[in-house]
Amino acid sequence: MVRYDFFGTLVEVDEDATRSWYAKASKWGCECGHCRNFLLLAQQRKFPSLTLQALDAFDIPPEKATYVGQLYPTENGDCYQFSYRIAGTILTQGTDPSPLYDAGMGICTHETYPYGAPDFPTPHFDLEFSLKLPWVLEEPHHG
């Protein structure tokens, strides 16, 4: 287990278990317009650099989120909440979600519902992001 500080939260991560699971995982599977927009941005790595740095630390492809949800429309796209499950434990919880950039925030949390990771190794926690992302699909945006 290796210790990391994500968003003011101290965690211990089983890097091998995390990498192994994502190496076999599929991309997020929802085919609604909002999720297809998210997946296109993820595959093109069009997330803020701090989000990509956190995922790259464990070789997690951005399109392999374990949860994706559109929260609300914005002027240019949508605010999304999305998560990536990590093998390990939260040692000390940050007090508030960390505002990392103008586009949104990140937090370490533990979601009890498995979303896209029902077979994920335990213990685990989730890196969760809320980001404003542009609409990039070549179809009308239905906020």
Side-chain angles (χ1 to χ4, degrees), residues 9-30:
T9 299
L10 184 61
V11 298
E12 274 189 340
V13 175
D14 183 334
E15 294 176 322
D16 292 336
T18 301
R19 283 188 177 98
S20 176
W21 189 88
Y22 280 98
K24 297 178 274 181
S26 300
K27 68 178 183 175
W28 181 249
C30 180

Side-chain angles (χ1 to χ4, degrees), residues 3 11 16 21 29 44 46 62 65 74 77 90 103 108 115 120 142:
R3 288 187 179 197
V11 298
D16 292 336
W21 189 88
Q44 295 175 350
K46 300 273 177 123
T74 68
I90 295 174
C108 290
Y115 301 116
F120 205 88
H142 302 289

Side-chain angles (χ1 to χ4, degrees), residues 48-127:
S49 62
L50 291 173
T51 301
L52 293 173
Q53 288 171 9
L55 300 178
D56 290 348
F58 309 109
D59 299 322
I60 299 173
E63 64 273 15
K64 292 187 177 183
T66 54
Y67 171 76
V68 177
Q70 183 262 7
L71 298 177
Y72 57 86
T74 68
E75 288 181 24
N76 304 353
D78 293 296
C79 184
Y80 287 88
Q81 183 178 45
F82 54 100
S83 302
Y84 300 88
R85 190 145 286 179
I86 305 293
T89 57
I90 295 174
L91 300 175
T92 61
Q93 184 69 55
T95 55
D96 291 314
S98 177
L100 300 176
Y101 16 67
D102 291 340
M105 64 90 181
I107 190 170
C108 290
T109 187
H110 181 75
E111 295 292 343
T112 56
Y113 184 75
Y115 301 116
D119 59 344
F120 205 88
T122 56
H124 57 258
F125 63 94
D126 299 280
L127 288 178

Side-chain angles (χ1 to χ4, degrees), residues 120-140:
F120 205 88
T122 56
H124 57 258
F125 63 94
D126 299 280
L127 288 178
E128 185 173 282
F129 301 92
S130 294
L131 297 178
K132 295 175 185 171
L133 299 174
W135 187 261
V136 293
L137 289 182
E138 292 185 17
E139 60 188 60

